[in-house]
Amino acid sequence: MISAVAATGLALSLLTAPQADVVPPGKITVDVVTVNGSGCPAGTAAIAVSDDNTSFTVTYSDYTAQAGSGSTPTQFRKNCQLNLRVHYPQGFTFGIAKADYRGFAHLPRGARGMQRASYYFAGSSSTTTTTHNIAAPTSNNWQFTDSTEVAEIVYAPCGAVRHLNVNTEVRAFTNTANQPAFVSMDSTDGSVNTRYQFAWKRC
């Protein structure tokens, strides 16, 4: 059952790719079907749709991978999968053209971090995956942008209702067991904005 969207923080907006037609007329709405993963357990990911229904925001409060001192062997990797249904007029289709991610990393010398994201439509074998490495030593905010060339954008099949899956993950590794290392999909003040931009085209 499609859940109601509630609360605040990841922004999704519309982008017209250079070869694409204009953005569909009327309002675009996004339903969050499921939110699952070790990085977003129940009650720790808040989601809100903007007043004009063209963007949504997700705030994470417990999305941190950690290694070294004070951590368990399974905490080095955390992930979160969003399963979304996007409502838009017939005659159009869309794909993810760009995404901006922000977070914070504390990685002493000898450690390393990673952020990864995958995008795919239910029932499709085409998946777009991007990986970004975070070098040590660092104790600072990080930000990455995923941009897909127009010719490589994976679009939803025309005339079919397919849910969009966005699967993100962060990982932390360290060779020094007595020092903590962590990578968070958020920032030190708890406000994170991850922005997804859509590319539209006519079917």
Side-chain angles (χ1 to χ4, degrees), residues 177-190:
N178 62 351
Q179 292 190 64
F182 66 86
V183 177
S184 295
M185 184 80 81
D186 63 12
S187 58
T188 52
D189 61 4

Side-chain angles (χ1 to χ4, degrees), residues 18-191:
Q19 71 182 40
D21 290 300
V22 297
V23 172
K27 291 185 177 181
I28 311 302
T29 61
V30 179
D31 290 330
V32 178
V33 182
T34 57
V35 180
N36 292 308
S38 56
C40 52
T44 66
I47 305 171
V49 172
S50 64
D51 290 340
D52 62 4
N53 294 315
T54 61
S55 66
F56 72 92
T57 302
V58 176
T59 298
Y60 300 105
S61 62
D62 191 24
Y63 199 165
T64 301
Q66 53 187 329
S69 178
S71 65
T72 65
T74 61
Q75 291 179 310
F76 81 98
R77 175 186 180 272
K78 292 294 180 71
N79 82 297
C80 185
Q81 178 158 309
L82 304 177
N83 183 269
L84 311 171
R85 180 172 179 177
V86 181
H87 300 270
Y88 51 93
Q90 291 185 348
F92 289 85
T93 187
F94 74 96
I96 295 292
K98 182 180 178 182
D100 296 311
Y101 294 94
R102 291 196 301 120
F104 186 87
H106 174 75
L107 300 170
R109 194 172 301 279
R112 60 188 175 91
M114 184 199 73
Q115 182 268 328
R116 175 177 293 161
S118 298
Y119 317 95
Y120 63 94
F121 291 97
S124 173
S125 60
S126 297
T127 302
T128 300
T129 301
T130 58
T131 302
H132 301 281
N133 295 312
I134 306 172
T138 185
S139 187
N140 208 343
N141 294 310
W142 55 262
Q143 179 172 345
F144 297 118
T145 297
D146 297 340
S147 296
T148 304
E149 295 294 332
V150 172
E152 298 176 356
I153 294 174
V154 177
Y155 288 93
C158 286
V161 177
R162 297 289 177 87
H163 291 179
L164 171 66
N165 292 281
V166 180
N167 192 10
T168 59
E169 68 174 277
V170 290
R171 299 190 186 196
F173 307 91
T174 182
N175 295 325
T176 308
N178 62 351
Q179 292 190 64
F182 66 86
V183 177
S184 295
M185 184 80 81
D186 63 12
S187 58
T188 52
D189 61 4
S191 81

